Amino acid sequence: MNKRLKYQDHPSHFMLILARIIGFLIAGVYILFILPEFISNFDTLSYDTEFWVFLVYALSLTYGFGFLLTFWKIKAGAIIMIICSIGIAFYGFFDSMRWEVFLLLIPLSFSGIMFLMHAKKNLYTKNL
């Protein structure tokens, strides 16, 4: 009986590993391609856009903090990641007013959703 419970959690660990791999890939792509665009825009900023650029940086840093937090507190980090990714996606949509940008930024929340699925499966297997 004890062996069976041990192997029931295997798909949940696979989801955790997959979520971490996706999270690292998204963070790497985000840092390599999106953040230099915002850095290059600093020369042409006006006072009206400074708040929005600060908001993107704050959401990005909070997303990264949430990803790091998932190594210790999976559920809290996942919730932070999902909230920040939704905020970044809405910023991208309202900044460009194009649905393509919104749909491009939605995958930021995939790793957070997978972390939440892992946390829910772990909670279910602990109650057995």
Side-chain angles (χ1 to χ4, degrees), residues 37-85:
E37 178 69 27
F38 289 115
I39 292 172
S40 68
N41 286 339
F42 273 136
D43 294 335
T44 60
L45 286 181
S46 67
Y47 288 111
D48 298 337
T49 59
E50 280 183 4
F51 172 74
W52 295 108
V53 172
F54 171 75
L55 181 67
V56 169
Y57 277 119
L59 287 172
S60 301
L61 289 174
T62 309
Y63 180 86
F65 172 72
F67 181 68
L68 290 176
L69 187 63
T70 59
F71 286 95
W72 295 279
K73 302 282 187 183
I74 294 176
K75 194 171 185 179
I79 291 171
I80 290 172
M81 287 175 68
I82 291 172
I83 291 171
C84 290
S85 64

Side-chain angles (χ1 to χ4, degrees):
M1 182 73 175
N2 195 8
K3 232 180 193 182
R4 185 171 158 245
L5 288 178
K6 196 180 213 182
Y7 289 110
Q8 277 183 336
D9 198 31
H10 187 277
S12 179
H13 284 294
F14 175 73
M15 231 179 282
L16 177 67
I17 292 170
L18 190 63
R20 287 199 174 137
I21 290 171
I22 290 172
F24 277 122
L25 289 174
I26 287 174
V29 167
Y30 195 74
I31 288 170
L32 286 175
F33 297 112
I34 296 176
L35 288 182
E37 178 69 27
F38 289 115
I39 292 172
S40 68
N41 286 339
F42 273 136
D43 294 335
T44 60
L45 286 181
S46 67
Y47 288 111
D48 298 337
T49 59
E50 280 183 4
F51 172 74
W52 295 108
V53 172
F54 171 75
L55 181 67
V56 169
Y57 277 119
L59 287 172
S60 301
L61 289 174
T62 309
Y63 180 86
F65 172 72
F67 181 68
L68 290 176
L69 187 63
T70 59
F71 286 95
W72 295 279
K73 302 282 187 183
I74 294 176
K75 194 171 185 179
I79 291 171
I80 290 172
M81 287 175 68
I82 291 172
I83 291 171
C84 290
S85 64
I86 290 171
I88 291 170
F90 276 123
Y91 168 79
F93 172 70
F94 288 127
D95 185 46
S96 65
M97 286 300 189
R98 297 182 62 160
W99 284 103
E100 297 88 11
V101 176
F102 182 73
L103 294 176
L104 183 70
L105 292 172
I106 285 295
L108 285 173
S109 63
F110 287 169
S111 57
I113 292 169
M114 292 179 79
F115 281 127
L116 277 181
M117 289 169 59
H118 168 75
K120 184 177 180 181
K121 288 189 185 224
N122 261 356
L123 182 64
Y124 175 71
T125 56
K126 285 181 184 178
N127 290 335
L128 289 178

